[in-house]
Amino acid sequence: MSVALDRRTRHDADLRHIGIDAFVTGEFAELAARNGALVARGIEALDAPPLAVEVGEDRWSFRGGACALEAERGVADGALVVTLTEQEFSDWVQNQRSFNAMMTARTLRYRGGDKRDVSVWDSLWLTLLEGWPIVDEQITFRDRRGTPLDLGRCFTPDDDPADVAHFLRAAGFLHLRGWTDPACVSRISDEMDAALPDYREGDGRSWWATLADDSRRCVRMQEFVERSPALAALLRGEQWQRLRRVVAAGDDLVQAPVEGRCAEALIKPVGVVVGASDVSFHRDCHLGRHAYTCATLTVGIAVTETSEANGLLRVVAGSHRVVMPVEIAKADPYLPVVAVATQPGDLTVHLSCCLHESTPPRTAERRVVYSEFHLAPRSTPRDGSPAAAKDLSDLRERVSDILLENS
């Protein structure tokens, strides 16, 4: 089974303020009837406690019943209790903002549970809202001919485009070789060196990390394409457009104009002790808005070799098909974890709702450039973006500073 790239089920134009009583006495019944059995299976499989949500003086608890999800007034015994403002609750029940976003921003208030419980309920809530199962004992990985999928496969431009597209939709990621010229990425590396002096801490265009020797290093450069003729030529080239068409396979994928923040250059030095250089398992949509934007395809250009020794991308294969909690992925994943070792010039592709991580280099610095393909807009957007969307975008840019403040 593969999953469609377009996971969008909600529209920003439909956003409204939703209070907790109105939600529980209104649309909760329809959601529970449609997806409650999936939630109950997840609660049982992951031994999740009840969830109690406090908004002002109102308190409601959610717990698994007989193949269903039940809501009751008050705080259930043994519940994870989360306290939200009215706006936070309204955003949360419309998938605008997740518990993880609030945890990342250091604003989530909870008691009676731990980070694992919060992570599990983040996933369970997506199961309720979107019917995205948290577990599936029948999940398999098969190619188009029904034979077992080789999760370690590396595709070249000579492979059947249908096989490439199927693998992406079944596994959630790709490893590609021969799609770029290694000489091009060597020039990109040189241009990274040349651009580094143009970045300063606090410039709003870069992230910085502290190394074991207390030195500070730039680890992320936004607007790098403006300083890299080699990268700009690559992103404008016919081979890049061919790649877009192959992974789209009939879906309408678009590329942002080759300017501004269409790509970012990452430098991953050895010995980072503070900073957002190497991020453990996460989804790119885990802060919220999965149902409004997914799936985005992130394409990584390996500027240097990647390996277990100098760091690499690891993905939880198929984690776009079941909404495995992030804390479970870190500790005890129940789907295959694949390490993608690359050569300079190789590409990786992963879906925004596929769990992935970057492992820290131990022996040599690693460099990679990331760009994206997006689903084409379904309609002309209304003026402006929702406040939560702007907040999440700002939160992503502030992650490095937040980590520094809390070190």
Side-chain angles (χ1 to χ4, degrees):
M1 172 187 175
S2 61
V3 175
L5 292 185
D6 196 339
R7 310 287 293 277
R8 298 172 297 184
T9 60
R10 294 171 178 259
H11 298 261
D12 286 326
D14 297 329
L15 288 170
R16 65 197 190 283
H17 182 78
I18 301 178
I20 187 168
D21 278 351
F23 172 77
V24 176
T25 59
E27 62 193 84
F28 173 76
E30 180 182 347
L31 288 169
R34 185 165 65 242
N35 300 323
L38 288 175
V39 179
R41 285 182 58 206
I43 290 172
E44 181 179 8
L46 300 181
D47 193 25
L51 170 68
V53 180
E54 298 178 329
V55 181
E57 298 300 315
D58 296 316
R59 293 167 175 81
W60 283 91
S61 292
F62 304 90
R63 64 163 76 238
C67 298
L69 182 67
E70 301 172 351
E72 60 186 34
R73 283 194 181 273
V75 175
D77 292 341
L80 164 69
V81 185
V82 177
T83 304
L84 302 176
T85 66
E86 289 187 1
Q87 188 59 56
E88 287 171 339
F89 178 83
S90 184
D91 287 342
W92 178 63
V93 297
Q94 297 178 88
N95 189 222
Q96 285 285 302
R97 196 191 315 262
S98 68
F99 284 164
N100 182 69
M102 300 175 209
M103 287 273 281
T104 301
R106 306 297 196 263
T107 61
L108 185 69
R109 295 164 291 167
Y110 68 95
R111 64 184 187 275
D114 56 20
K115 284 180 64 176
R116 180 189 186 278
D117 298 324
V118 172
S119 179
V120 167
W121 268 104
D122 237 355
S123 290
L124 289 169
W125 204 254
L126 268 174
T127 301
L128 175 66
L129 295 181
E130 302 302 322
W132 187 358
I134 200 167
V135 292
D136 182 358
E137 296 83 357
Q138 306 302 315
I139 193 168
T140 59
F141 298 92
R142 301 279 176 177
D143 64 20
R144 292 192 301 128
R145 299 156 192 84
T147 57
L149 204 65
D150 176 8
L151 294 176
R153 182 171 178 180
C154 181
F155 291 93
T156 75
D158 295 329
D159 284 307
D160 188 333
D163 289 338
V164 178
H166 175 86
F167 188 103
L168 175 64
R169 287 156 176 79
F173 73 97
L174 287 170
H175 179 193
L176 306 173
R177 179 166 293 156
W179 294 75
T180 64
D181 181 357
C184 173
V185 297
S186 178
R187 291 193 295 274
I188 290 172
S189 184
D190 290 342
E191 290 164 351
M192 291 173 71
D193 289 330
L196 274 169
D198 295 335
Y199 291 85
R200 297 284 188 276
E201 282 202 70
D203 60 12
R205 300 178 297 119
S206 57
W207 284 355
W208 294 71
T210 302
L211 305 191
D213 63 2
D214 289 331
S215 63
R216 297 283 288 166
R217 286 284 306 277
C218 178
V219 296
R220 178 186 188 231
M221 296 186 287
Q222 289 276 36
E223 302 172 15
F224 172 65
V225 74
E226 307 286 355
R227 295 159 177 79
S228 176
L231 176 61
L234 173 63
L235 298 182
R236 292 190 177 108
E238 172 54 32
Q239 187 77 324
W240 197 260
Q241 296 311 310
R242 180 188 174 195
L243 171 63
R244 179 183 58 82
R245 294 190 295 269
V246 167
V247 295
D251 284 297
D252 193 2
L253 288 181
V254 297
Q255 177 186 0
V258 182
E259 61 188 29
R261 300 197 171 187
C262 71
E264 60 184 25
L266 304 184
I267 301 171
K268 298 176 180 292
V270 176
V272 170
V273 293
V274 177
S277 178
D278 298 288
V279 183
S280 59
F281 278 120
H282 64 285
R283 291 182 173 89
D284 294 330
C285 61
H286 193 48
L287 297 180
R289 292 183 54 79
H290 160 80
Y292 299 84
T293 62
C294 280
T296 295
L297 280 65
T298 298
V299 185
I301 306 166
V303 178
T304 57
E305 179 184 1
T306 73
S307 67
E308 295 286 356
N310 75 327
L312 43 63
L313 174 73
R314 298 206 313 161
V315 294
V316 180
S319 54
H320 61 308
R321 294 160 63 178
V322 293
V323 60
M324 180 189 297
V326 166
E327 293 302 317
I328 300 294
K330 294 177 183 178
D332 188 23
Y334 46 86
L335 287 172
V337 176
V338 181
V340 186
T342 58
Q343 299 175 4
D346 283 5
L347 304 178
T348 62
V349 182
H350 67 262
L351 301 182
S352 50
C353 35
C354 182
L355 285 162
H356 58 282
E357 71 171 356
S358 172
T359 64
R362 301 192 305 271
T363 59
E365 176 179 284
R366 179 161 80 93
R367 295 184 172 196
V368 61
V369 172
Y370 284 111
S371 190
E372 295 180 337
F373 298 130
H374 301 268
L375 292 165
R378 292 172 291 185
S379 58
T380 302
R382 67 182 184 182
D383 291 340
S385 299
K390 294 178 180 177
D391 289 346
L392 293 188
S393 178
D394 177 64
L395 177 58
R396 288 187 181 95
E397 295 305 313
R398 292 193 298 112
V399 164
S400 186
D401 291 337
I402 291 170
L403 292 175
L404 180 62
E405 292 166 2
N406 289 273
S407 62

